[in-house]
Amino acid sequence: MFYEPGKTPHNLPHDPFKACVAPRPIGWISTVDKHGRANLAPYSFFNAVCGNPPMVMFASGGSIDSLNNARGTGEFIAAVAPRAMLREINFCSAPLPPEQDEFDYAGLEKEPGQTVAAHRIKGVPIHMECKVFQIVNLPGHTPQSKNAMVIGTVVGLHIDDAIIRDGMVDVTLFEPLARLGYHEYASVAETFTVRREDFW
């Protein structure tokens, strides 16, 4: 099949685009607003974009509290979502008003950041404290849409010692969640090693 997004129909029951870019890691983005009110939301448009310096991005497409807070304070924390906390992650995707705290709504306990005002999530093994490097406005379906990509420089990295094995982070010890298409998820429970020279 072939279709031109926004121009020609795909003739499928649901838009297939997100299912074609999968798996996508889920970043659990923690921010505070200018009044210190906490916000916590999962983003499947999330990834690392640079290694030196370490940088990550998340893209907001409708849920604007994280975007507004990151824009207003210049900070955020990106947590790597473990499979064991899928219920809480799902709770944090609820369309709550800006004044309602997702930590409380999902029954999560806050832990302080070291270099930013945003909170870490107790029980999550990886947190990346970030300073906003750039916010790129993206087109939306309507003029009112506030789609944007937030790029942050990682200024502090928390890694739970329990997921370090033989000096390396072992993701199978917490099974990070990823988003597929539609309502489907995946988690990393098994890995394999390939070196460049294996195919030379």
Side-chain angles (χ1 to χ4, degrees):
M1 64 170 291
F2 172 79
Y3 74 101
E4 297 176 80
K7 292 184 179 180
T8 60
H10 49 66
N11 296 320
L12 296 173
H14 305 284
D15 187 340
F17 169 69
K18 293 179 184 179
C20 294
V21 185
R24 301 186 311 280
I26 296 175
W28 214 352
I29 306 300
S30 172
T31 58
V32 295
D33 66 14
K34 292 180 179 180
H35 306 288
R37 296 179 299 189
N39 182 266
L40 183 62
Y43 286 86
S44 67
F45 290 117
F46 164 77
N47 221 315
V49 294
C50 188
N52 187 18
M55 304 179 83
V56 296
M57 60 73 65
F58 72 93
S60 175
S63 175
I64 62 172
D65 292 339
S66 301
L67 169 61
N68 287 343
N69 293 348
R71 193 189 301 275
T73 65
E75 301 177 345
F76 65 93
I77 292 179
V80 179
R83 179 173 182 164
M85 300 179 79
L86 176 57
R87 175 184 176 277
E88 290 83 358
I89 292 162
N90 193 41
F91 267 65
C92 289
S93 66
L96 303 180
E99 64 273 10
Q100 188 166 356
D101 188 329
E102 285 83 2
F103 282 88
D104 293 339
Y105 183 74
L108 294 164
E109 186 175 337
K110 297 183 180 84
E111 294 186 328
Q114 298 298 308
T115 64
V116 300
H119 307 286
R120 293 182 294 129
I121 312 156
K122 186 172 183 178
V124 173
I126 295 176
H127 292 88
M128 291 168 275
E129 300 188 7
C130 300
K131 298 285 188 177
V132 172
F133 171 76
Q134 186 177 3
I135 297 177
V136 181
N137 292 322
L138 302 173
H141 289 299
T142 68
Q144 293 75 32
S145 296
K146 292 188 177 181
N147 295 344
M149 176 176 59
V150 180
I151 303 170
T153 303
V154 179
V155 296
L157 183 55
H158 301 261
I159 304 173
D160 190 332
D161 292 338
I163 66 166
I164 297 176
R165 178 183 288 169
D166 298 327
M168 296 184 290
V169 173
D170 186 342
V171 297
T172 66
L173 296 176
F174 70 100
E175 299 188 27
L177 277 172
R179 191 70 190 269
L180 305 176
Y182 319 111
H183 297 292
E184 298 174 321
Y185 289 78
S187 62
V188 181
E190 181 181 357
T191 66
F192 58 91
T193 300
V194 177
R195 295 175 175 82
R196 290 179 183 175
E197 58 269 25
D198 290 345
F199 295 101
W200 292 353

